[in-house]
Amino acid sequence: MNFVTSPLTKKVNNVFIHVRDLRQSAEWYSQLLGLPFCEEKVVSPVYNLPISSETGITLDDHTFDPGFQLQPSKHVLFNFYTNNIDDAYQSMQDKGIPIVRPIERFDDFAYFNIQDLDGNIIMICNG
């Protein structure tokens, strides 16, 4: 297999997060990221979070896939970046978001893990 050339762009375009309740998850992720929440824009089966990044986030409730069974990831799916790990940690505590792994520090890198409404594990890190 030749890996020198590829028709794929060298970036992650979108992250899909599988959810049970689209409206509830859209509100939760909006609050987590400090985004405005407009309930009228939540239309099943997917909701794209209005983030300002090359990589998007789509919440997917699989309305049109009746055989789908959600199996939350117990491993980190992706991470959100923060400039201040201690402020981010305190913010998660203040919001009552389950922290499933406390801050771990390695030199100038630190991270902790949270759990979303569906049990998916998400990392918050500063590097």
Side-chain angles (χ1 to χ4, degrees), residues 6-30:
S6 174
L8 303 180
T9 303
K10 285 113 182 105
K11 73 172 194 156
V12 173
N13 187 53
N14 212 40
V15 173
F16 279 78
I17 303 172
H18 305 283
V19 301
R20 287 184 182 93
D21 184 314
L22 190 62
R23 193 214 58 80
Q24 189 177 30
S25 292
E27 183 175 16
W28 189 87
Y29 275 94
S30 294

PDB file of all heavy atoms in Angstrom, residues 6-30:
ATOM      1  N   SER A   6      -2.336  10.476  -1.155  1.00  0.00           N
ATOM      2  CA  SER A   6      -3.671  10.099  -0.713  1.00  0.00           C
ATOM      3  C   SER A   6      -4.654  11.176  -1.132  1.00  0.00           C
ATOM      4  O   SER A   6      -4.325  12.367  -1.103  1.00  0.00           O
ATOM      5  CB  SER A   6      -3.705   9.944   0.808  1.00  0.00           C
ATOM      6  OG  SER A   6      -5.039   9.713   1.233  1.00  0.00           O
ATOM      7  N   PRO A   7      -5.863  10.795  -1.506  1.00  0.00           N
ATOM      8  CA  PRO A   7      -6.871  11.793  -1.824  1.00  0.00           C
ATOM      9  C   PRO A   7      -7.482  12.422  -0.572  1.00  0.00           C
ATOM     10  O   PRO A   7      -8.295  13.339  -0.662  1.00  0.00           O
ATOM     11  CB  PRO A   7      -7.927  10.983  -2.591  1.00  0.00           C
ATOM     12  CG  PRO A   7      -7.796   9.610  -2.047  1.00  0.00           C
ATOM     13  CD  PRO A   7      -6.329   9.441  -1.748  1.00  0.00           C
ATOM     14  N   LEU A   8      -7.076  11.958   0.615  1.00  0.00           N
ATOM     15  CA  LEU A   8      -7.625  12.491   1.856  1.00  0.00           C
ATOM     16  C   LEU A   8      -6.873  13.726   2.314  1.00  0.00           C
ATOM     17  O   LEU A   8      -5.649  13.800   2.200  1.00  0.00           O
ATOM     18  CB  LEU A   8      -7.560  11.434   2.953  1.00  0.00           C
ATOM     19  CG  LEU A   8      -8.253  10.109   2.655  1.00  0.00           C
ATOM     20  CD1 LEU A   8      -8.102   9.166   3.837  1.00  0.00           C
ATOM     21  CD2 LEU A   8      -9.709  10.313   2.303  1.00  0.00           C
ATOM     22  N   THR A   9      -7.598  14.671   2.859  1.00  0.00           N
ATOM     23  CA  THR A   9      -6.994  15.849   3.468  1.00  0.00           C
ATOM     24  C   THR A   9      -6.415  15.450   4.819  1.00  0.00           C
ATOM     25  O   THR A   9      -6.999  14.639   5.534  1.00  0.00           O
ATOM     26  CB  THR A   9      -8.059  16.945   3.653  1.00  0.00           C
ATOM     27  OG1 THR A   9      -8.631  17.220   2.386  1.00  0.00           O
ATOM     28  CG2 THR A   9      -7.471  18.201   4.228  1.00  0.00           C
ATOM     29  N   LYS A  10      -5.311  16.013   5.176  1.00  0.00           N
ATOM     30  CA  LYS A  10      -4.629  15.631   6.409  1.00  0.00           C
ATOM     31  C   LYS A  10      -5.180  16.415   7.601  1.00  0.00           C
ATOM     32  O   LYS A  10      -4.515  17.235   8.220  1.00  0.00           O
ATOM     33  CB  LYS A  10      -3.117  15.828   6.281  1.00  0.00           C
ATOM     34  CG  LYS A  10      -2.479  14.748   5.433  1.00  0.00           C
ATOM     35  CD  LYS A  10      -1.942  15.359   4.153  1.00  0.00           C
ATOM     36  CE  LYS A  10      -1.352  14.332   3.247  1.00  0.00           C
ATOM     37  NZ  LYS A  10      -2.219  14.027   2.106  1.00  0.00           N
ATOM     38  N   LYS A  11      -6.443  16.186   7.910  1.00  0.00           N
ATOM     39  CA  LYS A  11      -7.066  16.800   9.076  1.00  0.00           C
ATOM     40  C   LYS A  11      -8.285  15.984   9.472  1.00  0.00           C
ATOM     41  O   LYS A  11      -8.859  15.259   8.656  1.00  0.00           O
ATOM     42  CB  LYS A  11      -7.479  18.248   8.806  1.00  0.00           C
ATOM     43  CG  LYS A  11      -8.693  18.401   7.917  1.00  0.00           C
ATOM     44  CD  LYS A  11      -9.162  19.839   7.853  1.00  0.00           C
ATOM     45  CE  LYS A  11     -10.566  19.892   7.257  1.00  0.00           C
ATOM     46  NZ  LYS A  11     -11.277  21.054   7.632  1.00  0.00           N
ATOM     47  N   VAL A  12      -8.670  16.083  10.718  1.00  0.00           N
ATOM     48  CA  VAL A  12      -9.907  15.467  11.175  1.00  0.00           C
ATOM     49  C   VAL A  12     -11.006  16.478  10.908  1.00  0.00           C
ATOM     50  O   VAL A  12     -10.944  17.624  11.362  1.00  0.00           O
ATOM     51  CB  VAL A  12      -9.833  15.118  12.681  1.00  0.00           C
ATOM     52  CG1 VAL A  12     -11.176  14.633  13.187  1.00  0.00           C
ATOM     53  CG2 VAL A  12      -8.748  14.087  12.923  1.00  0.00           C
ATOM     54  N   ASN A  13     -12.005  16.074  10.145  1.00  0.00           N
ATOM     55  CA  ASN A  13     -13.058  17.002   9.743  1.00  0.00           C
ATOM     56  C   ASN A  13     -14.135  17.154  10.804  1.00  0.00           C
ATOM     57  O   ASN A  13     -14.567  18.259  11.095  1.00  0.00           O
ATOM     58  CB  ASN A  13     -13.694  16.527   8.434  1.00  0.00           C
ATOM     59  CG  ASN A  13     -14.654  17.517   7.870  1.00  0.00           C
ATOM     60  OD1 ASN A  13     -14.303  18.677   7.691  1.00  0.00           O
ATOM     61  ND2 ASN A  13     -15.868  17.095   7.606  1.00  0.00           N
ATOM     62  N   ASN A  14     -14.571  16.055  11.389  1.00  0.00           N
ATOM     63  CA  ASN A  14     -15.689  16.112  12.315  1.00  0.00           C
ATOM     64  C   ASN A  14     -15.618  14.956  13.305  1.00  0.00           C
ATOM     65  O   ASN A  14     -15.207  13.861  12.953  1.00  0.00           O
ATOM     66  CB  ASN A  14     -17.006  16.034  11.536  1.00  0.00           C
ATOM     67  CG  ASN A  14     -18.115  16.812  12.182  1.00  0.00           C
ATOM     68  OD1 ASN A  14     -17.890  17.895  12.688  1.00  0.00           O
ATOM     69  ND2 ASN A  14     -19.306  16.264  12.166  1.00  0.00           N
ATOM     70  N   VAL A  15     -16.054  15.206  14.516  1.00  0.00           N
ATOM     71  CA  VAL A  15     -16.151  14.186  15.547  1.00  0.00           C
ATOM     72  C   VAL A  15     -17.637  13.926  15.774  1.00  0.00           C
ATOM     73  O   VAL A  15     -18.406  14.870  15.961  1.00  0.00           O
ATOM     74  CB  VAL A  15     -15.492  14.668  16.863  1.00  0.00           C
ATOM     75  CG1 VAL A  15     -15.738  13.692  17.993  1.00  0.00           C
ATOM     76  CG2 VAL A  15     -14.004  14.904  16.660  1.00  0.00           C
ATOM     77  N   PHE A  16     -18.048  12.659  15.716  1.00  0.00           N
ATOM     78  CA  PHE A  16     -19.429  12.291  15.992  1.00  0.00           C
ATOM     79  C   PHE A  16     -19.522  11.757  17.411  1.00  0.00           C
ATOM     80  O   PHE A  16     -18.751  10.881  17.805  1.00  0.00           O
ATOM     81  CB  PHE A  16     -19.924  11.213  15.018  1.00  0.00           C
ATOM     82  CG  PHE A  16     -20.357  11.761  13.704  1.00  0.00           C
ATOM     83  CD1 PHE A  16     -19.420  12.112  12.747  1.00  0.00           C
ATOM     84  CD2 PHE A  16     -21.701  11.949  13.428  1.00  0.00           C
ATOM     85  CE1 PHE A  16     -19.808  12.627  11.529  1.00  0.00           C
ATOM     86  CE2 PHE A  16     -22.107  12.469  12.217  1.00  0.00           C
ATOM     87  CZ  PHE A  16     -21.157  12.812  11.256  1.00  0.00           C
ATOM     88  N   ILE A  17     -20.483  12.271  18.156  1.00  0.00           N
ATOM     89  CA  ILE A  17     -20.749  11.785  19.504  1.00  0.00           C
ATOM     90  C   ILE A  17     -22.157  11.211  19.488  1.00  0.00           C
ATOM     91  O   ILE A  17     -23.126  11.911  19.180  1.00  0.00           O
ATOM     92  CB  ILE A  17     -20.635  12.924  20.540  1.00  0.00           C
ATOM     93  CG1 ILE A  17     -19.243  13.569  20.468  1.00  0.00           C
ATOM     94  CG2 ILE A  17     -20.927  12.382  21.942  1.00  0.00           C
ATOM     95  CD1 ILE A  17     -19.094  14.816  21.314  1.00  0.00           C
ATOM     96  N   HIS A  18     -22.277   9.942  19.787  1.00  0.00           N
ATOM     97  CA  HIS A  18     -23.566   9.260  19.757  1.00  0.00           C
ATOM     98  C   HIS A  18     -24.272   9.480  21.091  1.00  0.00           C
ATOM     99  O   HIS A  18     -23.675   9.291  22.148  1.00  0.00           O
ATOM    100  CB  HIS A  18     -23.358   7.774  19.458  1.00  0.00           C
ATOM    101  CG  HIS A  18     -22.572   7.593  18.200  1.00  0.00           C
ATOM    102  ND1 HIS A  18     -23.130   7.751  16.953  1.00  0.00           N
ATOM    103  CD2 HIS A  18     -21.263   7.332  17.983  1.00  0.00           C
ATOM    104  CE1 HIS A  18     -22.212   7.572  16.026  1.00  0.00           C
ATOM    105  NE2 HIS A  18     -21.064   7.316  16.634  1.00  0.00           N
ATOM    106  N   VAL A  19     -25.531   9.919  21.017  1.00  0.00           N
ATOM    107  CA  VAL A  19     -26.275  10.333  22.206  1.00  0.00           C
ATOM    108  C   VAL A  19     -27.660   9.683  22.221  1.00  0.00           C
ATOM    109  O   VAL A  19     -28.172   9.256  21.193  1.00  0.00           O
ATOM    110  CB  VAL A  19     -26.398  11.869  22.265  1.00  0.00           C
ATOM    111  CG1 VAL A  19     -25.020  12.526  22.294  1.00  0.00           C
ATOM    112  CG2 VAL A  19     -27.229  12.417  21.109  1.00  0.00           C
ATOM    113  N   ARG A  20     -28.262   9.651  23.398  1.00  0.00           N
ATOM    114  CA  ARG A  20     -29.623   9.137  23.547  1.00  0.00           C
ATOM    115  C   ARG A  20     -30.656  10.234  23.330  1.00  0.00           C
ATOM    116  O   ARG A  20     -31.668  10.026  22.684  1.00  0.00           O
ATOM    117  CB  ARG A  20     -29.813   8.551  24.951  1.00  0.00           C
ATOM    118  CG  ARG A  20     -29.120   7.234  25.160  1.00  0.00           C
ATOM    119  CD  ARG A  20     -29.440   6.653  26.549  1.00  0.00           C
ATOM    120  NE  ARG A  20     -28.719   5.408  26.720  1.00  0.00           N
ATOM    121  CZ  ARG A  20     -27.522   5.300  27.278  1.00  0.00           C
ATOM    122  NH1 ARG A  20     -26.910   6.372  27.719  1.00  0.00           N
ATOM    123  NH2 ARG A  20     -26.937   4.131  27.388  1.00  0.00           N
ATOM    124  N   ASP A  21     -30.427  11.395  23.929  1.00  0.00           N
ATOM    125  CA  ASP A  21     -31.390  12.495  23.903  1.00  0.00           C
ATOM    126  C   ASP A  21     -30.714  13.705  23.264  1.00  0.00           C
ATOM    127  O   ASP A  21     -29.890  14.369  23.892  1.00  0.00           O
ATOM    128  CB  ASP A  21     -31.844  12.805  25.328  1.00  0.00           C
ATOM    129  CG  ASP A  21     -32.924  13.862  25.409  1.00  0.00           C
ATOM    130  OD1 ASP A  21     -32.801  14.908  24.730  1.00  0.00           O
ATOM    131  OD2 ASP A  21     -33.887  13.652  26.163  1.00  0.00           O
ATOM    132  N   LEU A  22     -31.056  13.977  22.015  1.00  0.00           N
ATOM    133  CA  LEU A  22     -30.368  15.016  21.250  1.00  0.00           C
ATOM    134  C   LEU A  22     -30.514  16.397  21.878  1.00  0.00           C
ATOM    135  O   LEU A  22     -29.544  17.127  22.012  1.00  0.00           O
ATOM    136  CB  LEU A  22     -30.882  15.026  19.803  1.00  0.00           C
ATOM    137  CG  LEU A  22     -30.088  15.888  18.829  1.00  0.00           C
ATOM    138  CD1 LEU A  22     -28.651  15.394  18.692  1.00  0.00           C
ATOM    139  CD2 LEU A  22     -30.774  15.896  17.465  1.00  0.00           C
ATOM    140  N   ARG A  23     -31.722  16.775  22.272  1.00  0.00           N
ATOM    141  CA  ARG A  23     -31.933  18.097  22.849  1.00  0.00           C
ATOM    142  C   ARG A  23     -31.146  18.260  24.145  1.00  0.00           C
ATOM    143  O   ARG A  23     -30.453  19.245  24.355  1.00  0.00           O
ATOM    144  CB  ARG A  23     -33.426  18.359  23.108  1.00  0.00           C
ATOM    145  CG  ARG A  23     -33.697  19.854  23.415  1.00  0.00           C
ATOM    146  CD  ARG A  23     -34.816  20.092  24.412  1.00  0.00           C
ATOM    147  NE  ARG A  23     -34.638  19.472  25.695  1.00  0.00           N
ATOM    148  CZ  ARG A  23     -33.872  19.951  26.680  1.00  0.00           C
ATOM    149  NH1 ARG A  23     -33.147  21.035  26.525  1.00  0.00           N
ATOM    150  NH2 ARG A  23     -33.790  19.318  27.827  1.00  0.00           N
ATOM    151  N   GLN A  24     -31.244  17.271  25.011  1.00  0.00           N
ATOM    152  CA  GLN A  24     -30.544  17.332  26.292  1.00  0.00           C
ATOM    153  C   GLN A  24     -29.027  17.382  26.086  1.00  0.00           C
ATOM    154  O   GLN A  24     -28.323  18.155  26.741  1.00  0.00           O
ATOM    155  CB  GLN A  24     -30.945  16.130  27.152  1.00  0.00           C
ATOM    156  CG  GLN A  24     -30.456  16.198  28.565  1.00  0.00           C
ATOM    157  CD  GLN A  24     -30.942  15.017  29.390  1.00  0.00           C
ATOM    158  OE1 GLN A  24     -31.145  13.921  28.867  1.00  0.00           O
ATOM    159  NE2 GLN A  24     -31.116  15.228  30.679  1.00  0.00           N
ATOM    160  N   SER A  25     -28.513  16.572  25.169  1.00  0.00           N
ATOM    161  CA  SER A  25     -27.071  16.563  24.904  1.00  0.00           C
ATOM    162  C   SER A  25     -26.615  17.854  24.240  1.00  0.00           C
ATOM    163  O   SER A  25     -25.540  18.365  24.545  1.00  0.00           O
ATOM    164  CB  SER A  25     -26.704  15.360  24.027  1.00  0.00           C
ATOM    165  OG  SER A  25     -26.888  14.167  24.748  1.00  0.00           O
ATOM    166  N   ALA A  26     -27.418  18.397  23.333  1.00  0.00           N
ATOM    167  CA  ALA A  26     -27.072  19.665  22.688  1.00  0.00           C
ATOM    168  C   ALA A  26     -26.970  20.775  23.725  1.00  0.00           C
ATOM    169  O   ALA A  26     -26.039  21.590  23.696  1.00  0.00           O
ATOM    170  CB  ALA A  26     -28.105  20.020  21.627  1.00  0.00           C
ATOM    171  N   GLU A  27     -27.888  20.790  24.664  1.00  0.00           N
ATOM    172  CA  GLU A  27     -27.841  21.803  25.726  1.00  0.00           C
ATOM    173  C   GLU A  27     -26.622  21.581  26.624  1.00  0.00           C
ATOM    174  O   GLU A  27     -25.910  22.513  26.986  1.00  0.00           O
ATOM    175  CB  GLU A  27     -29.128  21.761  26.545  1.00  0.00           C
ATOM    176  CG  GLU A  27     -29.178  22.839  27.605  1.00  0.00           C
ATOM    177  CD  GLU A  27     -30.507  22.875  28.348  1.00  0.00           C
ATOM    178  OE1 GLU A  27     -31.290  21.893  28.263  1.00  0.00           O
ATOM    179  OE2 GLU A  27     -30.750  23.876  29.027  1.00  0.00           O
ATOM    180  N   TRP A  28     -26.347  20.317  26.976  1.00  0.00           N
ATOM    181  CA  TRP A  28     -25.227  20.000  27.863  1.00  0.00           C
ATOM    182  C   TRP A  28     -23.897  20.410  27.241  1.00  0.00           C
ATOM    183  O   TRP A  28     -23.074  21.067  27.878  1.00  0.00           O
ATOM    184  CB  TRP A  28     -25.232  18.489  28.161  1.00  0.00           C
ATOM    185  CG  TRP A  28     -24.271  18.065  29.233  1.00  0.00           C
ATOM    186  CD1 TRP A  28     -24.499  18.030  30.576  1.00  0.00           C
ATOM    187  CD2 TRP A  28     -22.923  17.597  29.051  1.00  0.00           C
ATOM    188  NE1 TRP A  28     -23.384  17.565  31.234  1.00  0.00           N
ATOM    189  CE2 TRP A  28     -22.400  17.297  30.318  1.00  0.00           C
ATOM    190  CE3 TRP A  28     -22.117  17.404  27.937  1.00  0.00           C
ATOM    191  CZ2 TRP A  28     -21.112  16.817  30.507  1.00  0.00           C
ATOM    192  CZ3 TRP A  28     -20.830  16.921  28.134  1.00  0.00           C
ATOM    193  CH2 TRP A  28     -20.339  16.638  29.399  1.00  0.00           C
ATOM    194  N   TYR A  29     -23.666  20.024  25.978  1.00  0.00           N
ATOM    195  CA  TYR A  29     -22.410  20.377  25.311  1.00  0.00           C
ATOM    196  C   TYR A  29     -22.312  21.885  25.077  1.00  0.00           C
ATOM    197  O   TYR A  29     -21.226  22.460  25.149  1.00  0.00           O
ATOM    198  CB  TYR A  29     -22.233  19.602  23.996  1.00  0.00           C
ATOM    199  CG  TYR A  29     -21.621  18.245  24.205  1.00  0.00           C
ATOM    200  CD1 TYR A  29     -22.416  17.113  24.345  1.00  0.00           C
ATOM    201  CD2 TYR A  29     -20.247  18.083  24.295  1.00  0.00           C
ATOM    202  CE1 TYR A  29     -21.857  15.867  24.554  1.00  0.00           C
ATOM    203  CE2 TYR A  29     -19.676  16.842  24.509  1.00  0.00           C
ATOM    204  CZ  TYR A  29     -20.481  15.739  24.643  1.00  0.00           C
ATOM    205  OH  TYR A  29     -19.917  14.507  24.853  1.00  0.00           O
ATOM    206  N   SER A  30     -23.428  22.537  24.807  1.00  0.00           N
ATOM    207  CA  SER A  30     -23.416  23.990  24.641  1.00  0.00           C
ATOM    208  C   SER A  30     -22.984  24.664  25.938  1.00  0.00           C
ATOM    209  O   SER A  30     -22.143  25.568  25.931  1.00  0.00           O
ATOM    210  CB  SER A  30     -24.802  24.493  24.215  1.00  0.00           C
ATOM    211  OG  SER A  30     -25.126  24.026  22.931  1.00  0.00           O
TER     212      SER A  30
END
